[in-house]
Amino acid sequence: MPVPRTLNYDMWLGSTPVVAYTEKRVHPQKGYDRPGWLRCEQFGAGMITGWGAHHIDSAHWAMGTELTGPIEVSGHAEFPNKGLWDVHGPFRTEGVYGDGVRMIVSGDFPNGIKFIGSEGWIFVSRGNESVTASDPVSRLKDPQALAASDPKIITSAIGPNEIHLYESASHHGNWLECIKSRKEPIAPVEVAHRACSTCLIHHMAMKLNRKLSWDPVAERFKNDDQANALRSRPQRAPYVCRGC
């Protein structure tokens, strides 16, 4: 299949190995269907990173684990045995953190995060952007975006001595403000790295189909050469961007 004139395919490949162009490997030339690169392990890891990075990021924020990661991960998944696309299909994984908190991730769950505690549970997802934990459910455009086992969990106000999270009315505005003030933004790069690397650790557990022990300080698997070999992928070296 010829490379479209509007695409610098060599630049698009970046440092990844050279493979033949096909629209199913890259992205559709017409329309906004989900691009094929999301389904190719050479470029991504499937929906564990596609949606997982968004939700695990938020879960880490609530758990107080934004700058660390799980210490143990296990899971399983279905992988295709033919065709171009080779990332996971249906999956279920579980991560255990240093404080004992368990995080279960699966594409079979509703699109969001369910926090389960000693006094009940709360489910959050993408809904009205103005929602805070003290807003009543009746104000939501999507009532399922914020739901709880006990309505008091949602309607109660956060006290002055309770945990108050970083407030940001605008993602881009916060970024610009922090450039000027040198204050840490609401979404610093290390937090993004930890969310994405956690997704990839879950993906590795799927591929190996067994329990893995992770050292979040050294960012290596413990006494596991096979798992550690998955932390990197083949790259073109040296790679020179001809279109830059």
Side-chain angles (χ1 to χ4, degrees):
M1 180 179 289
V3 178
R5 289 181 296 175
T6 55
L7 174 65
N8 185 331
Y9 186 54
D10 188 64
M11 182 191 295
W12 187 90
L13 285 172
S15 62
T16 66
V18 177
V19 288
Y21 170 82
T22 177
E23 187 174 319
K24 285 188 175 182
R25 174 176 276 130
V26 186
H27 42 69
Q29 291 299 298
K30 295 181 180 180
Y32 296 94
D33 291 341
R34 185 166 287 161
W37 64 263
L38 284 171
R39 300 175 173 91
C40 296
E41 191 175 329
Q42 179 171 342
F43 311 114
M47 293 311 293
I48 184 63
T49 50
W51 266 109
H54 295 297
H55 291 321
I56 287 178
D57 176 10
S58 299
H60 278 179
W61 189 13
M63 293 161 59
T65 56
E66 288 184 289
L67 299 178
T68 182
I71 60 172
E72 185 179 280
V73 180
S74 59
H76 59 84
E78 295 179 17
F79 286 88
N81 53 24
K82 62 180 180 179
L84 177 68
W85 295 337
D86 58 359
V87 297
H88 69 83
F91 74 95
R92 182 185 175 96
T93 56
E94 180 175 329
V96 180
Y97 288 74
D99 58 2
V101 172
R102 295 166 57 236
M103 176 191 290
I104 302 173
V105 187
S106 175
D108 293 333
F109 294 154
N111 191 5
I113 312 165
K114 187 174 186 178
F115 298 95
I116 303 174
S118 59
E119 298 181 22
W121 57 264
I122 184 169
F123 175 82
V124 295
S125 186
R126 295 191 173 197
N128 190 328
E129 293 182 358
S130 66
V131 168
T132 62
S134 59
D135 286 323
V137 175
S138 60
R139 286 185 51 191
L140 292 170
K141 294 179 181 177
D142 177 7
Q144 293 302 314
L146 185 60
S149 55
D150 182 348
K152 294 179 181 178
I153 297 175
I154 297 174
T155 57
S156 62
I158 300 174
N161 297 322
E162 294 183 288
I163 296 174
H164 289 252
L165 300 178
Y166 193 127
E167 293 187 17
S168 171
S170 166
H171 227 34
H172 293 113
N174 172 255
W175 175 65
L176 292 171
E177 290 170 4
C178 291
I179 290 175
K180 294 190 295 184
S181 67
R182 317 311 295 174
K183 179 184 175 182
E184 187 85 330
I186 192 171
V189 65
E190 177 68 14
V191 168
H193 163 68
R194 291 293 184 164
C196 189
S197 61
T198 296
C199 293
L200 292 172
I201 295 166
H202 280 251
H203 183 251
M204 295 169 196
M206 292 181 210
K207 292 194 69 174
L208 296 176
N209 196 28
R210 59 181 172 82
K211 187 178 295 184
L212 305 175
S213 295
W214 176 252
D215 182 342
V217 176
E219 296 192 79
R220 290 182 57 86
F221 293 102
K222 297 179 180 178
N223 304 316
D224 196 328
D225 292 339
Q226 185 185 24
N228 281 317
L230 297 178
R231 295 183 307 136
S232 61
R233 297 178 179 179
Q235 297 187 27
R236 286 195 281 171
Y239 168 70
V240 178
C241 178
R242 299 181 181 88
C244 298

